[in-house]
């Protein structure tokens, strides 16, 4: 079996760190989620048959890629444009895209902007096409015009502090290791290579231009609205919305795979302030409904299918947010099917 290799690639936009195995085969580009790196894809890379050329990239501000700040007013286009620059530098004019969580949003944006360059799209527990927080209903209606309830001000400050301090323990339930064990995967599973994943999480750059980003006060509950910089703001619904995927041409086949017990991307997400307010964990709740993240993704992908696209949804029982780590065989089988479609 070929060994993984990690290198930095200078592109027209920034220098990006990638991990791959070979220079030949059909390109498959793996895009990680928030507070993670390409290390979360390593087992998936080695499982692909030799006919494929798997590449996992660190997004800006994570891992070994240059820590350029994120212009959140562009949604996730900074990330998507970085991917395009990487593929151009590598001489790749079309690739299969696999995006996990926030990386799923980046992959959707890439498809929206460059459909001819996407051979297939695999979404692994993806962020809603209407962003994270601040919306209601399957059509992603804003709860407030300023996007209140989303953006950089919604992050737990204790988690941000422990992340910035490089905490490797789990004395606090908000330490990176504890969040990995309780939210990225479904307990009581402890993933193989856990230490590697914790180290990857700790490469996350913090601050207004990175994670979680800046914020602005709001007159609407819960009193905070998105800013214009950083990671959580680029996922705010006032900046990120890809609900028109049904209009792209050509329409590559889409796989949507998720864990049924995901607590991060869910219709009742433990990271959604509206849901937390409804259970008394955030004070002053005014009845704002939880964001139905899964229903929103299904709404957008149903429109894609109705317009002639091919969509397969796979819900894995007993799995959480990182289904590719928790159930690698089922993930690999579903991925192999869409790659060969």
């Amino acid at each position: 079996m070929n060994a993984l290799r990690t290198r930095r690639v200078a592109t027209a936009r920034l220098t990006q760190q990638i991990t791959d195995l070979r220079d030949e085969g059909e390109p498959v580009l793996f895009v990680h989620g928030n507070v993670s790196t390409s290390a979360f894809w390593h087992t998936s890379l080695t499982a692909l048959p030799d006919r494929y050329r798997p590449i996992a990239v660190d997004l800006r501000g994570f891992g070994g890629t240059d820590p350029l700040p994120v212009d959140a007013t562009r949604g996730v286009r900074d990330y998507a444009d970085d991917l395009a620059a990487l593929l151009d530098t590598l001489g790749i004019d079309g690739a299969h895209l696999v995006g996990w969580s926030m990386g799923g949003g980046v992959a959707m944006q890439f498809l929206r902007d460059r459909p001819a360059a996407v051979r297939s799209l695999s979404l692994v527990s993806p962020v809603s096409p209407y962003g994270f927080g601040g919306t209601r209903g399957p059509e992603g209606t804003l709860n407030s015009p300023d996007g209140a309830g989303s953006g950089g001000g919604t992050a737990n400050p204790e988690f941000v502090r422990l992340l910035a301090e490089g905490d490797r323990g789990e004395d606090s339930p908000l330490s990176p290791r504890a969040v990995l064990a309780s939210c990225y995967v479904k307990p009581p599973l402890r993933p193989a290579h856990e230490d590697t994943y914790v180290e990857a999480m700790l490469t996350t750059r913090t601050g207004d231009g990175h994670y979680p980003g800046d914020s602005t006060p709001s007159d609407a509950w819960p009193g905070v609205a998105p800013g214009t910089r950083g990671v959580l703001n680029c996922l705010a619904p006032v900046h990120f919305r890809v609900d028109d995927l049904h209009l792209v041409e050509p329409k590559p086949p889409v796989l949507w795979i998720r864990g049924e017990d995901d607590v991060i991307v869910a219709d009742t997400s433990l990271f959604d302030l509206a849901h937390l307010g409804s259970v008394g964990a955030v004070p002053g709740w005014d009845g704002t409904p939880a964001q139905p993240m899964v229903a929103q993704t299904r709404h957008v992908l149903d429109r894609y299918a109705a317009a002639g696209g091919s969509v397969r949804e796979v819900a894995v029982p007993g799995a959480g947010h990182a289904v590719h780590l928790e159930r690698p065989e089922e993930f690999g089988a579903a991925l192999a099917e869409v790659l060969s479609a």
Side-chain angles (χ1 to χ4, degrees), residues 219-281:
D219 292 333
W221 186 89
V224 63
T228 60
R229 296 176 289 162
V231 177
L232 294 188
N233 293 311
C234 79
L235 296 173
V238 292
H239 301 313
F240 171 71
R241 189 178 182 98
V242 285
D243 59 338
D244 56 354
L245 292 181
H246 60 289
L247 300 178
V248 304
E249 291 293 346
K251 290 182 172 65
V254 175
L255 165 67
W256 174 27
I257 183 167
R258 59 185 178 84
E260 287 188 348
D261 296 325
D262 189 346
V263 299
I264 296 179
V265 175
D267 287 348
T268 51
S269 168
L270 296 182
F271 290 70
D272 176 18
L273 294 189
H275 172 64
L276 293 175
S278 72
V279 298

Side-chain angles (χ1 to χ4, degrees), residues 45 99 116 121 124 161 276 308:
L45 300 187
L121 177 68
V124 187
R161 181 182 71 82
L276 293 175

Side-chain angles (χ1 to χ4, degrees), residues 22 29 48 79 101-102 119 137 182 205 227 234 242 328:
R22 61 187 74 94
L29 182 60
L48 279 186
Y79 298 127
S101 195
M102 181 178 77
R119 298 184 183 183
S182 64
R205 273 59 164 199
C234 79
V242 285

Side-chain angles (χ1 to χ4, degrees), residues 62-80:
F62 301 95
T65 289
D66 287 353
L68 270 63
V70 176
D71 178 358
T73 65
R74 306 185 69 234
V76 298
R77 280 192 171 93
D78 274 356
Y79 298 127

Side-chain angles (χ1 to χ4, degrees), residues 96-99 104 107-109 111-112 115 118-127 129 242 245-248 250-258 297-298 300-306 308-314 334-341:
H96 302 275
L97 290 189
V98 185
M108 284 188 274
Q109 186 68 62
L111 172 63
R112 175 65 184 80
V118 182
R119 298 184 183 183
S120 71
L121 177 68
S122 294
L123 303 173
V124 187
S125 306
V127 66
V242 285
L245 292 181
H246 60 289
L247 300 178
V248 304
K251 290 182 172 65
V254 175
L255 165 67
W256 174 27
I257 183 167
R258 59 185 178 84
T297 298
R298 185 174 293 114
V300 168
L301 293 182
D302 281 350
R303 294 172 74 189
Y304 186 86
S310 170
V311 177
R312 182 188 180 205
E313 178 182 348
V314 178
L335 180 61
E337 182 173 321
V338 74
L339 292 180
S340 61

